[in-house]
Amino acid sequence: MTEKREYTDDYPEKTLYIPGPTEVREDVIEEMAQPMFGHRMDRMTDLYTTIVEDTKEFLGTDNEVMILTASGTEFWEASTLNLVDENILVPTCGSFSERHADVAERLGKNVDRLEYEWGEAIKPADISEHLEESDTHYDVVATVMNESSTGVRNPIEEIGDVVSEYPDTYFVVDAVSALGGDYVDIDAHGIDVIFASTQKAFAMPPGLAVCVVSDEAYERELETDSASWYGGFQRALDYYDRKGQTHSTPAIPIMLAYRKQMKYMLEEGHEERDARHREMAEYTREWAREHFDMFPEEGYESQTVACIENTQNIDVAATIDRVSEEYDMAFSNGYGSQLGEETFRIGHMGEHDVESIKELTDAIEDVAGL
């Protein structure tokens, strides 16, 4: 049994370059210290309608937006319960896409996997061929946009175009570690459900999940015999339509922080934020190829998380520890036992820029003797 380890107040601050949580503006954090108010007061309506409508504006979508106190994991479950009667197709190319398939199986759904080697990207042509040749009707095709375990950015736009040819099949996208830092035109590519966690590219404290839902997905849930209670599209969106609030008590302090951060994101602009993340990604890839190599399939590298192949056989764990101790910076090892020492990962997302990423790569060079 795990023993209690008492939390103290004397931890050194670390600049976060992990795949999330990431750095948060100081004044955004300070927003959480406002006096508490009731979640059924008019003030809450003002707060919640502000963050919902600002999110729609930032993402450039006409679809409905849900913001709940949760991890993005909530919408793995909710979208499966809300949209899948029997069959779901899940292309897998890493840990998180595999976990999406596992979630659906635990919920009693029939899951077909379209499996790729870790590091490879999902190909729209493969999905098209599978849907065309299969005798199975799939209620949902579920894809991860940004496979942060391998640093792969899947072409969800093209995949959405393929799935759109099957009007009775819904397209669900896990964009947990990408949305807000990697531009996607949600409405143009038939994405029925796309969700994210705000502690990633939104540069927020953990605690909120954002989900964008198409009219078709909402209507589909109305036809089902059962759906998610907490993450039900009808329950959340109808309550918002009637009251301008959440159906259950939310984490009000984090929503206050979200309001502040979303104003910053709107000021920067979606395309400009995308360009800044692309610049960070390009710098990190160039640096990685100079000293190591990139793990993802070429041309499919993530815009928010670099997964770097450890071609120099450095001691990844020791390097992480020394960079943390000597520079107060935190980056990440490879994901799980499969890639733990074979790769390492740098989160270049949120409020970082090329200069701050260069500070980390300089520290790694120094510690690893590159």
Side-chain angles (χ1 to χ4, degrees):
M1 180 177 293
T2 301
E3 295 182 0
K4 178 182 178 182
R5 293 174 47 170
E6 189 69 30
Y7 186 86
T8 67
D9 294 319
D10 58 353
Y11 302 98
E13 291 187 11
K14 307 290 182 181
T15 303
L16 300 179
Y17 299 90
I18 57 179
T22 187
E23 291 293 294
V24 182
R25 292 173 185 262
E26 189 171 324
D27 60 347
V28 170
I29 293 175
E30 289 171 352
E31 287 291 301
M32 295 192 291
Q34 294 188 36
M36 189 50 55
F37 54 90
H39 70 291
R40 295 295 176 236
M41 292 180 173
D42 288 344
R43 183 175 175 181
M44 185 65 214
T45 305
D46 293 346
L47 173 60
Y48 193 62
T49 56
T50 295
I51 64 175
V52 167
E53 299 306 320
D54 280 357
T55 302
K56 286 183 186 179
E57 181 181 349
F58 174 78
L59 294 175
T61 183
D62 292 326
N63 291 344
E64 297 299 329
V65 167
M66 303 163 57
I67 303 173
L68 296 180
T69 303
S71 164
T73 304
E74 162 62 24
F75 290 115
W76 272 349
E77 290 193 333
S79 60
T80 303
L81 289 169
N82 297 346
L83 299 178
V84 182
D85 282 341
E86 295 184 36
N87 305 307
I88 179 172
L89 177 65
V90 185
T92 60
C93 62
S95 179
F96 292 98
S97 49
E98 288 182 1
R99 197 175 300 178
H100 201 151
D102 291 342
V103 167
E105 284 182 332
R106 288 183 63 87
L107 293 172
K109 309 305 180 183
N110 300 322
V111 179
D112 282 350
R113 290 170 169 81
L114 192 60
E115 297 180 337
Y116 293 83
E117 292 291 329
W118 283 35
E120 292 183 357
I122 297 165
K123 306 303 189 297
D126 294 341
I127 294 178
S128 179
E129 181 179 359
H130 187 91
L131 292 175
E132 184 176 346
E133 296 182 356
S134 177
D135 294 329
T136 302
H137 165 70
Y138 294 105
D139 299 305
V140 162
V141 174
T143 306
V144 64
M145 176 177 174
N146 194 71
E147 181 53 80
S148 58
S149 65
T150 62
V152 165
R153 201 285 197 183
N154 287 307
I156 61 164
E157 294 87 352
E158 292 86 347
I159 295 170
D161 294 342
V162 167
V163 179
S164 293
E165 298 175 9
Y166 298 83
D168 294 328
T169 299
Y170 298 86
F171 187 37
V172 173
V173 175
D174 164 4
V176 164
S177 57
L179 201 65
D182 186 342
Y183 181 87
V184 55
D185 191 331
I186 298 168
D187 300 10
H189 296 284
I191 300 173
D192 293 294
V193 177
I194 186 169
F195 54 88
S197 295
T198 57
Q199 76 273 17
K200 308 280 187 174
F202 280 71
M204 275 280 300
L208 297 179
V210 176
C211 185
V212 183
V213 182
S214 72
D215 290 342
E216 292 78 9
Y218 173 86
E219 295 294 334
R220 170 61 177 159
E221 187 200 297
L222 299 186
E223 301 170 1
T224 62
D225 295 328
S226 62
S228 171
W229 192 88
Y230 186 70
F233 302 152
Q234 180 185 15
R235 189 162 185 267
L237 296 175
D238 285 6
Y239 201 94
Y240 178 73
D241 190 50
R242 294 195 311 272
K243 302 283 190 178
Q245 298 174 350
T246 56
H247 56 66
S248 300
T249 308
I252 295 171
I254 304 178
M255 288 188 171
L256 287 165
Y258 186 95
R259 182 197 67 86
K260 184 79 169 180
Q261 176 63 7
M262 184 50 65
K263 296 299 185 185
Y264 280 123
M265 292 171 69
L266 283 168
E267 182 180 354
E268 182 176 20
H270 199 172
E271 293 186 3
E272 291 77 9
R273 196 171 179 86
D274 173 83
R276 177 167 56 81
H277 280 73
R278 185 165 57 251
E279 185 180 9
M280 288 190 287
E282 289 171 353
Y283 165 78
T284 309
R285 290 172 205 154
E286 290 176 6
W287 176 84
R289 290 178 176 128
E290 178 182 354
H291 298 286
F292 300 95
D293 203 353
M294 292 295 292
F295 182 75
E297 180 179 354
E298 188 172 357
Y300 295 94
E301 299 91 348
S302 165
Q303 192 160 288
T304 56
V305 179
C307 185
I308 298 168
E309 188 173 359
N310 183 17
T311 55
Q312 297 215 36
N313 295 316
I314 65 170
D315 186 328
V316 171
T319 303
I320 290 171
D321 287 345
R322 283 191 57 195
V323 168
S324 176
E325 180 179 346
E326 296 176 21
Y327 289 92
D328 288 326
M329 299 175 181
F331 67 106
S332 183
N333 60 349
Y335 196 86
S337 59
Q338 184 170 338
L339 297 178
E341 281 286 328
E342 302 301 318
T343 64
F344 60 92
R345 295 175 299 156
I346 296 173
H348 36 75
M349 62 173 74
E351 296 307 312
H352 282 299
D353 56 23
V354 168
E355 289 306 310
S356 67
I357 300 301
K358 190 174 187 302
E359 291 176 6
L360 173 67
T361 56
D362 285 348
I364 295 172
E365 287 182 35
D366 179 47
V367 167
L370 301 178

